[in-house]
PDB file of all heavy atoms in Angstrom:
ATOM      1  N   TYR D  77     -49.209   4.832  -9.848  1.00  0.00           N
ATOM      2  CA  TYR D  77     -48.507   4.569  -8.633  1.00  0.00           C
ATOM      3  C   TYR D  77     -49.135   3.415  -7.853  1.00  0.00           C
ATOM      4  O   TYR D  77     -50.344   3.136  -7.966  1.00  0.00           O
ATOM      5  CB  TYR D  77     -48.298   5.712  -7.705  1.00  0.00           C
ATOM      6  CG  TYR D  77     -49.537   6.098  -6.823  1.00  0.00           C
ATOM      7  CD1 TYR D  77     -49.569   5.769  -5.502  1.00  0.00           C
ATOM      8  CD2 TYR D  77     -50.604   6.732  -7.336  1.00  0.00           C
ATOM      9  CE1 TYR D  77     -50.677   6.069  -4.644  1.00  0.00           C
ATOM     10  CE2 TYR D  77     -51.712   7.106  -6.549  1.00  0.00           C
ATOM     11  CZ  TYR D  77     -51.745   6.759  -5.274  1.00  0.00           C
ATOM     12  OH  TYR D  77     -52.837   7.079  -4.482  1.00  0.00           O
ATOM     13  N   ARG D  79     -49.382   1.910  -3.820  1.00  0.00           N
ATOM     14  CA  ARG D  79     -49.123   2.165  -2.426  1.00  0.00           C
ATOM     15  C   ARG D  79     -49.614   0.949  -1.649  1.00  0.00           C
ATOM     16  O   ARG D  79     -50.873   0.907  -1.560  1.00  0.00           O
ATOM     17  CB  ARG D  79     -49.777   3.453  -2.020  1.00  0.00           C
ATOM     18  CG  ARG D  79     -49.352   4.164  -0.678  1.00  0.00           C
ATOM     19  CD  ARG D  79     -48.545   3.433   0.201  1.00  0.00           C
ATOM     20  NE  ARG D  79     -48.079   4.002   1.423  1.00  0.00           N
ATOM     21  CZ  ARG D  79     -47.309   3.358   2.168  1.00  0.00           C
ATOM     22  NH1 ARG D  79     -46.927   2.163   1.852  1.00  0.00           N
ATOM     23  NH2 ARG D  79     -46.954   3.878   3.338  1.00  0.00           N
ATOM     24  N   HIS D  81     -49.271  -1.287   2.064  1.00  0.00           N
ATOM     25  CA  HIS D  81     -48.745  -1.365   3.462  1.00  0.00           C
ATOM     26  C   HIS D  81     -48.391  -2.779   3.742  1.00  0.00           C
ATOM     27  O   HIS D  81     -47.591  -3.034   4.733  1.00  0.00           O
ATOM     28  CB  HIS D  81     -49.744  -0.877   4.469  1.00  0.00           C
ATOM     29  CG  HIS D  81     -49.990   0.571   4.374  1.00  0.00           C
ATOM     30  ND1 HIS D  81     -50.821   1.179   3.477  1.00  0.00           N
ATOM     31  CD2 HIS D  81     -49.414   1.641   5.037  1.00  0.00           C
ATOM     32  CE1 HIS D  81     -50.781   2.485   3.619  1.00  0.00           C
ATOM     33  NE2 HIS D  81     -50.008   2.734   4.539  1.00  0.00           N
ATOM     34  N   ASP D 182     -55.574  -7.638   3.032  1.00  0.00           N
ATOM     35  CA  ASP D 182     -54.186  -7.739   3.126  1.00  0.00           C
ATOM     36  C   ASP D 182     -53.747  -7.888   4.611  1.00  0.00           C
ATOM     37  O   ASP D 182     -54.139  -7.031   5.477  1.00  0.00           O
ATOM     38  CB  ASP D 182     -53.429  -6.579   2.543  1.00  0.00           C
ATOM     39  CG  ASP D 182     -54.106  -5.221   2.627  1.00  0.00           C
ATOM     40  OD1 ASP D 182     -55.347  -5.130   3.150  1.00  0.00           O
ATOM     41  OD2 ASP D 182     -53.512  -4.142   2.411  1.00  0.00           O
ATOM     42  N   HIS D 228     -53.950  -3.039  -7.687  1.00  0.00           N
ATOM     43  CA  HIS D 228     -54.930  -1.981  -7.377  1.00  0.00           C
ATOM     44  C   HIS D 228     -56.160  -2.400  -6.685  1.00  0.00           C
ATOM     45  O   HIS D 228     -57.141  -1.669  -6.612  1.00  0.00           O
ATOM     46  CB  HIS D 228     -55.201  -1.253  -8.685  1.00  0.00           C
ATOM     47  CG  HIS D 228     -53.940  -0.484  -9.150  1.00  0.00           C
ATOM     48  ND1 HIS D 228     -53.382   0.611  -8.546  1.00  0.00           N
ATOM     49  CD2 HIS D 228     -53.073  -0.747 -10.200  1.00  0.00           C
ATOM     50  CE1 HIS D 228     -52.276   1.018  -9.193  1.00  0.00           C
ATOM     51  NE2 HIS D 228     -52.156   0.168 -10.168  1.00  0.00           N
ATOM     52  N   ARG D 233     -62.602  -2.558  -4.602  1.00  0.00           N
ATOM     53  CA  ARG D 233     -61.959  -1.485  -3.744  1.00  0.00           C
ATOM     54  C   ARG D 233     -62.988  -0.340  -3.630  1.00  0.00           C
ATOM     55  O   ARG D 233     -63.801  -0.138  -4.501  1.00  0.00           O
ATOM     56  CB  ARG D 233     -60.676  -1.001  -4.295  1.00  0.00           C
ATOM     57  CG  ARG D 233     -60.854  -0.005  -5.462  1.00  0.00           C
ATOM     58  CD  ARG D 233     -59.550   0.596  -5.910  1.00  0.00           C
ATOM     59  NE  ARG D 233     -58.835   1.287  -4.853  1.00  0.00           N
ATOM     60  CZ  ARG D 233     -57.543   1.730  -5.018  1.00  0.00           C
ATOM     61  NH1 ARG D 233     -56.897   1.528  -6.167  1.00  0.00           N
ATOM     62  NH2 ARG D 233     -56.971   2.359  -4.005  1.00  0.00           N
ATOM     63  N   GLY D 241     -55.855   8.839  -0.675  1.00  0.00           N
ATOM     64  CA  GLY D 241     -55.929   7.498  -1.175  1.00  0.00           C
ATOM     65  C   GLY D 241     -56.168   6.454  -0.153  1.00  0.00           C
ATOM     66  O   GLY D 241     -56.755   5.420  -0.437  1.00  0.00           O
ATOM     67  N   SER D 244     -59.479   4.840   0.021  1.00  0.00           N
ATOM     68  CA  SER D 244     -59.905   3.964  -1.047  1.00  0.00           C
ATOM     69  C   SER D 244     -59.258   2.665  -0.790  1.00  0.00           C
ATOM     70  O   SER D 244     -58.263   2.299  -1.398  1.00  0.00           O
ATOM     71  CB  SER D 244     -59.479   4.638  -2.379  1.00  0.00           C
ATOM     72  OG  SER D 244     -60.187   5.847  -2.554  1.00  0.00           O
ATOM     73  N   LYS D 246     -58.313  -1.140  -0.864  1.00  0.00           N
ATOM     74  CA  LYS D 246     -58.234  -2.176  -1.800  1.00  0.00           C
ATOM     75  C   LYS D 246     -58.596  -3.525  -1.172  1.00  0.00           C
ATOM     76  O   LYS D 246     -58.614  -3.609  -0.037  1.00  0.00           O
ATOM     77  CB  LYS D 246     -56.758  -2.230  -2.361  1.00  0.00           C
ATOM     78  CG  LYS D 246     -56.383  -0.882  -2.930  1.00  0.00           C
ATOM     79  CD  LYS D 246     -55.022  -0.919  -3.709  1.00  0.00           C
ATOM     80  CE  LYS D 246     -53.884  -0.840  -2.755  1.00  0.00           C
ATOM     81  NZ  LYS D 246     -52.597  -0.635  -3.560  1.00  0.00           N
ATOM     82  N   TYR D 267     -52.203   8.445   9.187  1.00  0.00           N
ATOM     83  CA  TYR D 267     -53.027   9.379   8.412  1.00  0.00           C
ATOM     84  C   TYR D 267     -53.637  10.492   9.231  1.00  0.00           C
ATOM     85  O   TYR D 267     -54.846  10.732   9.109  1.00  0.00           O
ATOM     86  CB  TYR D 267     -53.985   8.542   7.481  1.00  0.00           C
ATOM     87  CG  TYR D 267     -53.188   7.822   6.489  1.00  0.00           C
ATOM     88  CD1 TYR D 267     -53.038   6.420   6.596  1.00  0.00           C
ATOM     89  CD2 TYR D 267     -52.463   8.391   5.444  1.00  0.00           C
ATOM     90  CE1 TYR D 267     -52.224   5.738   5.750  1.00  0.00           C
ATOM     91  CE2 TYR D 267     -51.708   7.729   4.612  1.00  0.00           C
ATOM     92  CZ  TYR D 267     -51.580   6.379   4.805  1.00  0.00           C
ATOM     93  OH  TYR D 267     -50.797   5.651   3.948  1.00  0.00           O
TER      94      TYR D 267
HETATM   95  N1  MTE H 501     -55.946  -0.709   0.785  1.00  0.00           N
HETATM   96  C1  MTE H 501     -55.375  -1.739   1.440  1.00  0.00           C
HETATM   97  N2  MTE H 501     -56.198  -2.806   1.654  1.00  0.00           N
HETATM   98  N3  MTE H 501     -54.132  -1.804   1.664  1.00  0.00           N
HETATM   99  C2  MTE H 501     -53.291  -0.749   1.459  1.00  0.00           C
HETATM  100  O1  MTE H 501     -52.110  -0.760   1.766  1.00  0.00           O
HETATM  101  N4  MTE H 501     -53.124   1.573   0.704  1.00  0.00           N
HETATM  102  C3  MTE H 501     -53.911   2.761   0.622  1.00  0.00           C
HETATM  103  C4  MTE H 501     -55.081   2.647  -0.328  1.00  0.00           C
HETATM  104  N5  MTE H 501     -55.823   1.449  -0.090  1.00  0.00           N
HETATM  105  C5  MTE H 501     -53.859   0.452   0.927  1.00  0.00           C
HETATM  106  C6  MTE H 501     -55.286   0.406   0.505  1.00  0.00           C
HETATM  107  C7  MTE H 501     -53.245   3.995   0.214  1.00  0.00           C
HETATM  108  S1  MTE H 501     -52.269   4.763   1.452  1.00  0.00           S
HETATM  109  C8  MTE H 501     -53.264   4.537  -1.022  1.00  0.00           C
HETATM  110  S2  MTE H 501     -52.522   5.990  -1.360  1.00  0.00           S
HETATM  111  C9  MTE H 501     -54.073   3.921  -2.107  1.00  0.00           C
HETATM  112  O2  MTE H 501     -54.577   2.680  -1.694  1.00  0.00           O
HETATM  113  C10 MTE H 501     -53.151   3.583  -3.287  1.00  0.00           C
HETATM  114  O3  MTE H 501     -53.867   2.958  -4.290  1.00  0.00           O
HETATM  115  P1  MTE H 501     -53.114   2.310  -5.496  1.00  0.00           P
HETATM  116  O4  MTE H 501     -52.064   1.416  -5.019  1.00  0.00           O
HETATM  117  O5  MTE H 501     -54.205   1.608  -6.306  1.00  0.00           O
HETATM  118  O6  MTE H 501     -52.617   3.469  -6.263  1.00  0.00           O
END
Side-chain angles (χ1 to χ4, degrees):
Y77 81 101
R79 191 351 175 186
H81 292 80
D182 40 345
H228 293 289
R233 76 176 301 169
S244 291
K246 303 190 275 190
Y267 296 104

